[in-house]
Amino acid sequence: MATDSINSQQPGLNQEQALQYATRHPKLRGEIAEMAFLLKAARLGLCVSKPYGDSRAYDFVVDSGTRFWRVQVKSTHQPRGKGYSLTVQHFTSQGSPHYTPEEIDMLVGYVVPADAWYILPLDAFLPRRQLRLYPNGGRRGSGRFEAYKEAWHLLT
């Protein structure tokens, strides 16, 4: 029997079930956001490398042609009021929750339901641990970080 015939007979998850599964598993959510970043960046002509292992604070190295950027990718799925909360902290062996310039150069936030990307230099958000993003508007002034929405030019 052909492989396609075998695969088509196996039960699978519909799109809604798959989304529910992914949103319950934080590690899987992060992996999906990283895959989405890789695809988006590649489509924009950026050269992206994934370091082997999980021992660094950054997820990717982006080669702009003039420099290398260490990029950490974060995502959010659940709306909070008219916006979304994005957690922008991590915990090192020393217990520091903040990313530092020695660890990463850019943080990329992905608002999954809005398919919106935020390219954030560290000085734009430190020392915050949570960001409020408004990809669909809904707030007077559109929020503090809306200037970084789809700011892919910052990685060139």
Side-chain angles (χ1 to χ4, degrees):
M1 186 178 265
T3 303
D4 290 340
S5 298
I6 293 170
N7 291 338
S8 66
Q9 294 173 6
Q10 294 177 356
L13 300 175
N14 66 35
Q15 188 173 6
E16 183 177 327
Q17 290 169 323
L19 181 61
Q20 288 174 354
Y21 176 81
T23 56
R24 283 194 304 263
H25 301 291
K27 181 77 171 161
L28 180 58
R29 278 196 317 257
E31 291 167 353
I32 292 170
E34 287 180 15
M35 287 185 278
F37 170 80
L38 182 60
L39 180 61
K40 176 75 174 187
R43 284 184 171 166
L44 292 171
L46 296 169
C47 180
V48 181
S49 298
K50 176 81 173 149
Y52 177 78
D54 287 332
S55 59
R56 299 291 180 194
Y58 54 90
D59 295 316
F60 295 99
V61 175
V62 175
D63 180 356
S64 70
T66 57
R67 74 164 282 181
F68 292 97
W69 299 94
R70 296 165 299 170
V71 176
Q72 170 60 228
V73 176
K74 298 287 189 178
S75 67
T76 181
H77 295 75
Q78 297 296 325
R80 302 273 189 250
K82 295 181 180 180
Y84 294 84
S85 289
L86 183 70
T87 301
V88 294
Q89 66 181 16
H90 75 116
F91 294 95
T92 66
S93 59
Q94 291 80 27
S96 171
H98 299 289
Y99 288 103
T100 67
E102 291 76 37
E103 296 174 312
I104 68 172
D105 300 306
M106 291 284 186
L107 186 129
V108 173
Y110 182 41
V111 180
V112 177
D115 192 29
W117 295 92
Y118 291 78
I119 316 305
L120 298 151
L122 271 65
D123 61 356
F125 67 88
L126 285 179
R128 292 175 187 81
R129 297 179 189 178
Q130 290 277 327
L131 307 182
R132 295 286 294 159
L133 305 175
Y134 299 89
N136 302 316
R139 181 172 184 205
R140 184 178 298 139
S142 295
R144 176 184 319 245
F145 303 104
E146 297 313 302
Y148 299 100
K149 182 179 171 188
E150 303 299 335
W152 293 96
H153 66 277
L154 295 176
L155 289 173
T156 59

